[in-house]
Amino acid sequence: MIDKLTAEQSAKIPEYYEKYLAIGLNTDHVEMSFAVPAIKKLMDKIEFDYSKSTFELRDSPVDIHNDDNFELISYGSNDSYRLGYYKFFRNEFGICQEVDSIEDVVNTCGWVYYNSKSDLFVVCDRPSVINMDEGLLHSETGPSVMFRDGFSVYSWRGTRVPKEWVEDPDSIGSDVFLTWENVEQRRAACEIVGWAKVLEQINAKVIDEDADPEIGTLLEADIPEIGKEKFLKVMCGTKREFALPVPPEMKTALEAQANLYGLSPEEFEIPEVRT
Amino acid sequence: MKTVKNIAAQGEMLVRRVAEFRGDAVDMKPEGGVYILAHSETGHHHVIDREKVSVKEVSNAPEGLGILQMIVEEPTEITHLRAFDTHEPLMLGKGLWEVRLQREYTPEGYRRVAD
């Protein structure tokens, strides 16, 4: 068991980080003249006969990923962080299996799929765009990830969000701030629009503000499409703020906080720690 | 990692020591080497190692609310499986613990907070 790293080992972590991050962020077009030998080398390792196989490049994984005839068979550039993790422990501690044959594939390909019915290897091209902010997929103006056929992913600080939220934030209806089912996406919508504007848009009125931001502020909103609704604006242990709808009979932030867990204010104790 | 004496929150989860368990409960099935205490659509589950813990799920919990009963035999951590904005692990000591999973109100009734 490894209890701690030596100073030399710790000093090497940034090297691995930089090296494998650069591979993951590479947006160059895949060159099949490099990709195919790398895949063959990996197949040799598992003694797989590829003498009759064909190899094809596709612009994005969108058609293949949900096709049951295709199986993802190797890490690609997008998974370089995993390779970096294994390589660190392999090189610095002599543990973990040998992953050199996968490294060539990661360096030269996006994801690699195999269709056994047609003996076909499909190499997915790298994305043409990758936008990040502080280590998270993020773009305020367009896709965070885009492939060459236009298939795109939109993200707000690591949370995947609908395209229109990023491209046209004014299209985010007031109901989204309180009723969008996924709470992380709901939080992202509030951050995209900005909390001050959100509170204005939903005509929020403060009912009770607890001194502890982790207990939160009880607000009443008046949204044209929905009517009056109470919600708790609350900070979680990671210092991000969420809006959680609570029943109309709530009178204090503490009562609303307890209600989130099905407890009365008397039963609820303030957590010693929130993470 | 934070050590919990009596009560703590990790994301949408409240964990508190209890003297006894109330309500009917059924065994929760572990997945792999862990119990998934709070399930996330995006795979960012809150989990606890199955080795020194047993977990039951209260079957008649109020609408929208998830309540779990955990017997911790030896100190064990609850960890959050997310690489960013990660909720720090909580270390629970030996004893009886109750986990409550946040719910929210809708005009149609309560529902579990989904992430």
Side-chain angles (χ1 to χ4, degrees):
Chain A
M1 184 165 154
I2 302 164
D3 288 324
K4 60 180 177 185
L5 306 181
T6 64
E8 292 77 28
Q9 287 162 340
S10 296
K12 286 200 170 168
I13 290 177
E15 287 175 29
Y16 282 82
Y17 177 85
E18 295 297 334
K19 178 180 174 182
Y20 291 96
L21 183 65
I23 295 170
L25 294 180
N26 185 356
T27 52
D28 291 346
H29 193 48
V30 160
E31 294 288 344
M32 289 297 269
S33 56
F34 296 124
V36 172
I39 296 167
K40 287 182 174 175
K41 185 176 150 193
L42 178 62
M43 292 298 107
D44 284 338
K45 186 87 188 162
I46 57 167
E47 297 177 356
F48 181 91
D49 178 11
Y50 51 77
S51 56
K52 295 194 176 83
S53 305
T54 46
F55 296 80
E56 192 180 304
L57 178 66
R58 298 252 182 115
D59 284 342
S60 89
V62 71
D63 295 328
I64 320 163
H65 202 72
N66 295 320
D67 184 337
D68 291 341
N69 293 315
F70 285 94
E71 188 187 351
L72 189 62
I73 57 157
S74 172
Y75 291 167
S77 62
N78 324 52
D79 305 297
S80 57
Y81 69 99
R82 294 175 188 245
L83 186 69
Y85 173 82
Y86 289 123
K87 291 289 280 191
F88 176 76
F89 287 101
R90 172 83 182 166
N91 294 348
E92 309 306 326
F93 293 91
I95 57 175
C96 285
Q97 66 210 54
E98 186 270 305
V99 286
D100 290 346
S101 43
I102 296 177
E103 182 151 26
D104 285 352
V105 176
V106 167
N107 273 325
T108 56
C109 304
W111 287 302
V112 182
Y113 298 83
Y114 181 66
N115 181 337
S116 57
K117 286 183 189 157
S118 48
D119 193 12
L120 169 68
F121 286 90
V122 168
V123 181
C124 174
D125 208 347
R126 300 184 186 96
S128 55
V129 172
I130 303 175
N131 285 312
M132 299 186 85
D133 183 39
E134 295 180 357
L136 301 175
L137 286 176
H138 178 77
S139 170
E140 297 181 17
T141 52
S144 57
V145 178
M146 185 162 79
F147 288 85
R148 284 173 172 78
D149 60 358
F151 172 64
S152 302
V153 169
Y154 291 76
S155 317
W156 187 266
R157 299 201 176 102
T159 299
R160 192 167 175 179
V161 294
K163 172 184 177 178
E164 53 275 17
W165 289 11
V166 173
E167 302 225 315
D168 182 15
D170 290 342
S171 72
I172 305 176
S174 306
D175 54 328
V176 167
F177 306 133
L178 292 187
T179 61
W180 189 266
E181 189 150 351
N182 185 297
V183 74
E184 291 286 353
Q185 291 180 325
R186 191 190 310 158
R187 173 191 54 75
C190 294
E191 289 179 12
I192 290 169
V193 173
W195 270 104
K197 203 169 161 194
V198 168
L199 297 180
E200 187 186 314
Q201 239 173 284
I202 61 176
N203 303 306
K205 192 174 86 184
V206 175
I207 307 291
D208 177 52
E209 184 171 4
D210 199 281
D212 178 353
E214 293 184 345
I215 297 299
T217 303
L218 179 64
L219 294 135
E220 186 172 66
D222 194 354
I223 304 173
E225 312 90 88
I226 300 177
K228 287 193 175 181
E229 282 229 7
K230 281 188 182 166
F231 70 100
L232 191 64
K233 180 166 171 270
V234 67
M235 186 184 278
C236 89
T238 60
K239 306 299 172 204
R240 298 169 309 146
E241 288 187 300
F242 291 84
L244 301 171
V246 296
E249 64 270 21
M250 296 293 111
K251 290 187 175 59
T252 67
L254 184 67
E255 185 185 12
Q257 171 80 221
N259 186 273
L260 295 174
Y261 300 107
L263 298 168
S264 67
E266 295 73 35
E267 290 171 311
F268 181 75
E269 282 177 71
I270 308 288
E272 302 148 23
V273 54
R274 281 182 191 268
T275 68
Chain B
M1 193 264 297
K2 305 271 191 203
T3 300
V4 185
K5 273 191 200 160
N6 290 309
I7 184 162
Q10 187 187 60
E12 73 273 29
M13 222 171 54
L14 187 76
V15 189
R16 57 180 195 159
R17 265 191 198 279
V18 290
E20 56 178 3
F21 291 134
R22 278 183 291 175
D24 297 334
V26 292
D27 288 336
M28 185 184 238
K29 280 191 187 150
E31 292 187 32
V34 298
Y35 288 101
I36 298 179
L37 303 179
H39 193 274
S40 155
E41 287 171 13
T42 43
H44 303 139
H45 310 312
H46 298 253
V47 303
I48 191 163
D49 196 287
R50 65 183 284 186
E51 284 301 310
K52 292 142 193 165
V53 173
S54 61
V55 183
K56 288 187 173 204
E57 189 168 7
V58 172
S59 38
N60 54 354
E63 186 187 21
L65 200 68
I67 304 180
L68 309 175
Q69 301 173 342
M70 282 198 304
I71 302 173
V72 176
E73 305 286 356
E74 279 183 49
T76 308
E77 276 179 10
I78 298 179
T79 49
H80 179 218
L81 305 180
R82 187 163 65 185
F84 60 94
D85 292 328
T86 312
H87 300 290
E88 217 181 317
L90 297 176
M91 176 62 86
L92 306 185
K94 187 175 170 180
L96 306 187
W97 294 88
E98 183 190 73
V99 175
R100 285 177 174 252
L101 304 171
Q102 227 169 48
R103 64 181 182 176
E104 60 186 5
Y105 175 81
T106 73
E108 296 79 40
Y110 287 102
R111 69 177 178 207
R112 268 280 309 280
V113 171
D115 69 359

